[in-house]
Amino acid sequence: EWSRDPNGLPPSVWLSGLYNPMGYITACLQVTARAKELPLDSMTIATTVLPFMHEQVTEQPDEGTYTHGLYIEGARWDIE
């Protein structure tokens, strides 16, 4: 289980449950920029809706991060 490893991440991060969610996203950008030796100013955020639920994720991807708990205002998401 991920909680037993102090340096580990959960398979999917509950973004709306964080006190500072933008801080987590910024940290992901920094880690990627350092790994690829890119300037942080050139990094952008991209969001992709995937065809599975966060409970089905077993580990974080090699690049990027899985998150859940985002909200859509004025609409709803049909998972069928």
Side-chain angles (χ1 to χ4, degrees), residues 10-19 21 24 54 66-71:
S12 179
V13 175
W14 180 37
L15 202 57
S16 58
L18 298 176
Y19 176 74
Y24 176 75
H54 68 90
Y66 290 131
T67 61
H68 63 279
L70 301 176
Y71 291 93

Side-chain angles (χ1 to χ4, degrees), residues 19-80:
Y19 176 74
N20 183 7
M22 200 60 208
Y24 176 75
I25 293 172
T26 302
C28 292
L29 289 174
Q30 289 175 341
V31 166
T32 303
R34 287 182 186 143
K36 295 184 174 245
E37 297 180 0
L38 298 170
L40 186 58
D41 293 342
S42 70
M43 303 298 292
T44 60
I45 301 168
T47 303
T48 305
V49 178
L50 299 172
F52 49 83
M53 301 299 284
H54 68 90
E55 295 93 353
Q56 296 171 298
V57 177
T58 58
E59 62 185 15
Q60 285 284 332
D62 293 332
E63 287 188 5
T65 184
Y66 290 131
T67 61
H68 63 279
L70 301 176
Y71 291 93
I72 301 174
E73 291 188 25
R76 74 180 178 116
W77 188 264
D78 185 7
I79 58 175
E80 291 182 11

